[in-house]
Amino acid sequence: MPAASRGEPALTWEVQDGIAVVVLDCQGQPVNTISRAVKDEFRACFETLANDASVQAVAFFSGKAENFIAGADIEEFVTLTSAAEAERLSADGQDMLEQVARLPKPVAAGIHGACLGGGFEFALACQYRVATDHPKTQIGLPEIQLGILPGAGGCQRLPRLVGARAALDMILAGKAERAAKAFRLGMVDELVPPAILRDVTLAAARRLAGGWRPKRRRQGGFVGWLLDGNPLGRRLVFRAARKQLDQRTGGHYPAPFAALETVEYGLRHGIAEGLRREAQLFGQLAVTDVSRKLVQIFFATNQLKKDPGVPNAPAPVTVKRLGIVGSGFMGSGIAGTAVAQAGVDVRMKDADLARVANGLFASRAILDDRLKRRRITKYEHARLVALLSGGDTYAGFGRAELVIEAVFEDIAVKQQVLREIESAITETSVFASNTSTIPITSIAEAAQAPERVIGMHFFSPVAKMPLLEVIPGARTAPGVVSTAVAFGRRLGKTVIVVKDSPGFWVNRILAPYANEIGHLLAEGASIETIDGMAVRFGFPVGPVTLLDEVGLDVAEKVAHVMLAAYGDRLQPTAGVAALVKAGRLGRKSGRGFYIYKGGKKRGVDPDAYELLGVHPNGGPRPAEILQRLVLGILNEAARAVGEGVVRSPRDGDIGAIFGFGFPPFRGGPLRHADDLGAARLVADLERLAERLGPRFAPCEVLQDLARRDAKFYP
Ligand code: 3HC
């Protein structure tokens, strides 16, 4: 056993029948991470094992109940000040893993729980990998999501193990795979139930010690060999991957390109040269602004995961049964997601049985999709489908801890539903409205128990969109807030708690962005240019496409609520209303600004210009188009922060990134405002206001920051 040097050691081991059983358990931490101190322990441990004649092989496990190794310690990245320092950090990790790979005794890793980044790179340096088939066992190299690349040999060892194509898929997407898929891809050698992980890993270590070597077959047969197994085929693979990256990243994210280069370089020049290049590029990436922003987002979302939503919040009620009123697109989306993610019993209600049947069918489609993607087994699918039921009465609602209404966006209708539900549920049940615009306090005026009424604003499509806005009304009880927040999290959502004001956070800051489309079109800009500039800025889609996706009828309704609440500043132009009048509702009706056929966007509809009464003839300069679109968001976001619509700039930025795809590498609208500087923003907005009208007048919050030379994030 090693002596405890600084506090409790993370690595401990004992030798049983010639097998050293090594356990990593970073004391006082929820997950195992590889910090500088842990690296030192690894070195000392493996040196001792190398020299211990009684040790013939090593079996490695985690001491954490549900985590193997979460990777290198991301906290250390924040402290890096130069590319050279970051390169050294990467090279140190590589050296440590080379020591593992070159140990004259075989090492088998028994993997249960998240095995990510440097954790998987460690497993790759071992001779054999056994993983549990438990859902918590996620394996992958997510470094790209942090703006860096796998810098502890992952770009070298993974392609050699599974082939260049599969390795690039993993590394460039930066996603973690469930153990079954990792096994299929050859990333792990054996898949076992958790109960026998230890025994199977020990047995493998013993076999390895006896000279047995696992036989691994290249994936993909002859085609696999053609593409992965020879330089010519690989060149094609890299060319195709590079092309895909160009399209996907818009040139904003350097990490995937660097990872691609590293993998290619390593395969061409050998592992030693590959490692050198890997460390070099890791060093450069780790100190980029993009990586800093992505790391900030990682920590912000982690903080949000633990935030109960209100100070001193009472413990949330665990929702086991959920009632949903309204079986349309949103209602069925919430129902399907709730069953798929949280396994709750869902009872759906609508005015007639035909609608309920359609809603249940749509909810089930979410489960079918998971089955198709092999996220759930057939057995799980059957079990979850059985949790969905519905009817045209409130039967079954009496047992629901939470009821969510997703009916027509009209206060009278919502209040009517609220009255009906209050007589059908128990005194402790929570009533949540999935409104996108109507103040919760107004809806709650119809309630006998307004303290049990809250807003849960889901985004469409519910199964895919990661954000949930939770909106307490003026009288909502704190325990109701924590229940809604906790339930949203069980659905896999990132939850922000926002103030009960028109448009809440996301629709509020989107309003000027959407309205500006009309002004730009009227001045002769084309739809393609407007969307193209936003995409070039880093949005996943432009604002015109976004409106088509949201639905033009929905957008029109939101625009009117915003106008009524905030006045001329958020005055919409007539365009969207004209399209709605002509029956164009966006993607869902096959026509909006664009034409849609067979579920695909088929280009701008030339008739749209006619209906809007505008003619594309150049319009403002592209740079001005972008400035007007973005500064509108930044100005409104700053104003809303001043009004306390979000609890912190952190929530505001996360809401914008997860709610409508504000470019993550810019850190969110408030971080972006900080980067531009309040003084510059105020000056730019003043110039725009002078020329285009008071909608661009800089808000008081920005003016104040400019005067004090201050920032949202001090
Ligand atoms: N470094 C530092 N802290 C980490 C960490 C890491 N790699 N992974 C998790 N943590 C911290 C979280 O910040 C959180 O801290 P807190 O309690 O103080 O807020 C705590 O561990 C628990 O994490 P979660 O709340 O996220 O726990 P979950 O159970 O929900 O998820 C997880 C666990 C799946 C491991 C998730 O934390 C995760 O995805 N972690 C990041 C994985 C990752 O990106 N790894 C790559 C690191 S970079 C690398 O390895 C570079 C190498 O190639 C050189």
Side-chain angles (χ1 to χ4, degrees):
M1 288 283 204
S5 46
R6 276 158 289 173
E8 287 285 300
L11 271 180
T12 52
W13 66 90
E14 57 187 20
V15 182
Q16 302 170 356
D17 297 335
I19 308 295
V21 178
V22 181
V23 176
L24 175 67
D25 191 351
C26 296
Q27 300 297 318
Q29 286 184 206
V31 297
N32 285 330
T33 56
I34 304 180
S35 60
R36 286 191 174 95
V38 169
K39 270 185 223 157
D40 289 345
E41 284 196 45
F42 262 91
R43 277 200 201 89
C45 165
F46 279 85
E47 197 175 322
T48 310
L49 297 178
N51 295 329
D52 185 339
S54 72
V55 174
Q56 291 153 26
V58 179
F60 185 97
F61 301 96
S62 159
K64 303 283 181 212
E66 294 194 320
N67 169 265
F68 181 68
I69 304 175
D73 184 354
I74 303 171
E75 303 261 8
E76 283 183 351
F77 299 171
V78 184
T79 63
L80 294 168
T81 53
S82 71
E85 195 189 347
E87 182 177 338
R88 262 197 313 278
L89 190 76
S90 163
D92 277 354
Q94 293 176 345
D95 287 350
M96 169 195 124
L97 295 188
E98 278 292 288
Q99 191 188 356
V100 173
R102 292 198 184 156
L103 193 77
K105 303 161 187 192
V107 186
I111 302 165
H112 175 70
C115 171
L116 300 172
F120 182 46
E121 291 174 298
F122 163 75
L124 284 169
C126 299
Q127 276 73 26
Y128 199 73
R129 289 157 290 279
V130 185
T132 65
D133 56 6
H134 193 274
K136 280 270 174 191
T137 302
Q138 302 271 333
I139 302 176
L141 296 171
E143 284 87 341
I144 293 292
Q145 311 268 10
L146 299 170
I148 50 174
L149 51 71
C155 295
Q156 311 308 317
R157 292 198 176 91
L158 189 60
R160 284 171 174 80
L161 183 69
V162 300
R165 273 177 316 152
L168 286 178
D169 281 352
M170 291 294 305
I171 293 171
L172 302 184
K175 65 175 200 256
E177 298 291 0
R178 303 233 299 190
K181 172 118 187 246
F183 174 65
R184 270 201 308 281
L185 291 171
M187 292 157 62
V188 295
D189 298 291
E190 255 184 281
L191 200 59
V192 298
I196 58 168
L197 176 71
R198 189 184 165 88
D199 288 350
V200 172
T201 311
L202 280 168
R206 213 161 273 128
R207 284 204 308 279
L208 289 163
W212 168 81
R213 290 294 170 264
K215 283 201 186 73
R216 298 189 178 109
R217 284 196 315 136
R218 185 179 293 284
Q219 307 292 311
F222 178 66
V223 178
W225 173 83
L226 214 59
L227 290 173
D228 284 344
N230 71 86
L232 201 70
R234 281 206 294 264
R235 211 174 301 157
L236 289 178
V237 169
F238 285 108
R239 197 181 303 156
R242 199 162 273 127
K243 206 165 139 198
Q244 241 182 26
L245 279 185
D246 278 334
Q247 284 167 356
R248 208 181 77 199
T249 64
H252 294 302
Y253 296 88
F257 292 96
L260 188 73
E261 181 191 329
T262 307
V263 172
E264 193 172 18
Y265 193 88
L267 287 174
R268 194 176 294 165
H269 300 282
I271 194 160
E273 280 300 299
L275 287 172
R276 208 182 44 77
R277 188 80 187 125
E278 185 179 291
Q280 214 174 43
L281 290 177
F282 177 95
Q284 289 171 17
L285 291 170
V287 291
T288 54
D289 190 49
V290 173
S291 176
R292 300 260 193 246
K293 292 276 172 17
L294 297 179
V295 168
Q296 280 157 359
I297 293 171
F298 170 77
F299 285 120
T301 37
N302 266 330
Q303 285 168 6
L304 268 172
K305 277 196 233 165
K306 291 173 194 81
D307 187 337
V310 265
N312 309 318
V317 171
T318 304
V319 176
K320 297 193 195 99
R321 291 181 196 87
L322 173 70
I324 305 258
V325 188
S327 58
F329 195 55
M330 290 307 282
S332 56
I334 298 168
T337 308
V339 171
Q341 292 285 132
V344 293
D345 204 323
V346 172
R347 182 84 190 160
M348 201 186 269
K349 140 92 171 81
D350 210 324
D352 60 66
L353 291 176
R355 279 193 221 185
V356 176
N358 281 341
L360 291 174
F361 188 74
S363 306
R364 189 195 156 124
I366 294 172
L367 300 172
D368 294 348
D369 183 60
R370 301 223 162 179
L371 177 66
K372 207 171 95 196
R373 291 166 190 273
R374 304 203 211 190
R375 305 297 301 253
I376 49 175
T377 62
K378 264 190 186 163
Y379 164 75
E380 278 173 304
H381 179 263
R383 186 180 69 80
L384 295 176
V385 167
L387 292 173
L388 282 166
S389 68
D392 56 1
T393 67
Y394 288 106
F397 275 59
R399 295 162 68 216
E401 294 89 359
L402 172 67
V403 174
I404 302 177
E405 71 74 17
V407 298
F408 191 62
E409 188 77 350
D410 178 291
I411 184 157
V413 180
K414 287 188 186 288
Q415 287 186 328
Q416 176 59 27
V417 166
L418 170 56
R419 280 189 213 101
E420 287 171 13
I421 288 176
E422 273 195 328
S423 57
I425 57 180
T426 66
E427 277 169 15
T428 54
S429 308
V430 171
F431 172 88
S433 172
N434 173 51
T435 173
S436 51
T437 47
I438 307 172
I440 301 306
T441 307
S442 312
I443 297 175
E445 276 164 13
Q448 281 172 23
E451 68 279 7
R452 310 215 62 81
V453 177
I454 194 162
M456 289 177 84
H457 178 208
F458 289 89
F459 293 79
S460 168
V462 179
K464 296 220 169 83
M465 293 299 286
L467 188 73
L468 170 68
E469 289 180 322
V470 164
I471 312 113
R475 295 171 62 185
T476 308
V480 170
V481 181
S482 55
T483 297
V485 168
F487 185 64
R489 231 167 254 149
R490 276 174 68 206
L491 301 199
K493 304 298 172 201
T494 295
V495 186
I496 57 171
V497 175
V498 298
K499 188 173 152 183
D500 187 19
S501 65
F504 312 128
W505 170 250
V506 171
N507 280 336
R508 164 91 180 262
I509 65 174
L510 271 177
Y513 182 62
N515 291 345
E516 202 55 26
I517 298 171
H519 293 288
L520 292 166
L521 288 172
E523 289 169 49
S526 72
I527 291 171
E528 289 96 335
T529 311
I530 297 172
D531 269 359
M533 289 313 294
V535 169
R536 204 183 291 178
F537 179 74
F539 283 105
V541 295
V544 188
T545 301
L546 184 69
L547 287 192
D548 264 5
E549 295 288 337
V550 167
L552 299 187
D553 51 338
V554 177
E556 189 195 6
K557 205 162 231 180
V558 172
H560 282 295
V561 173
M562 303 309 279
L563 174 66
Y566 300 107
D568 288 350
R569 188 180 85 237
L570 295 184
Q571 169 84 50
T573 50
V576 170
L579 293 180
V580 173
K581 213 164 160 198
R584 287 155 187 265
L585 306 184
R587 180 188 277 278
K588 63 186 169 190
S589 71
R591 265 171 193 236
F593 288 94
Y594 290 89
I595 299 177
Y596 301 85
K597 275 201 188 107
K600 286 221 166 81
K601 195 162 94 176
R602 304 284 180 191
V604 169
D605 184 351
D607 295 350
Y609 288 114
E610 206 145 302
L611 282 166
L612 295 165
V614 299
H615 304 285
N617 57 9
R621 283 176 303 112
E624 182 187 318
I625 292 179
L626 185 58
Q627 189 186 43
R628 285 164 59 174
L629 290 171
V630 174
L631 293 202
I633 297 178
L634 268 45
N635 200 18
E636 198 59 34
R639 188 178 278 118
V641 166
E643 292 170 20
V645 174
V646 281
R647 292 171 307 157
S648 64
R650 172 202 74 184
D651 286 15
D653 279 335
I654 293 296
I657 291 167
F658 290 93
F660 62 94
F662 194 93
F665 71 94
R666 298 192 191 273
L670 303 165
R671 281 221 189 259
H672 188 50
D674 277 355
D675 283 349
L676 295 175
R680 175 178 157 191
L681 273 174
V682 167
D684 286 350
L685 283 162
E686 276 170 348
R687 263 194 299 277
L688 288 174
E690 212 166 280
R691 213 155 45 77
L692 300 164
R695 68 180 185 280
F696 280 108
C699 69
E700 184 47 41
V701 171
L702 283 178
Q703 295 193 41
D704 177 54
L705 288 178
R707 274 192 298 271
R708 293 188 291 115
D709 192 18
K711 289 176 181 296
F712 289 106
Y713 294 87

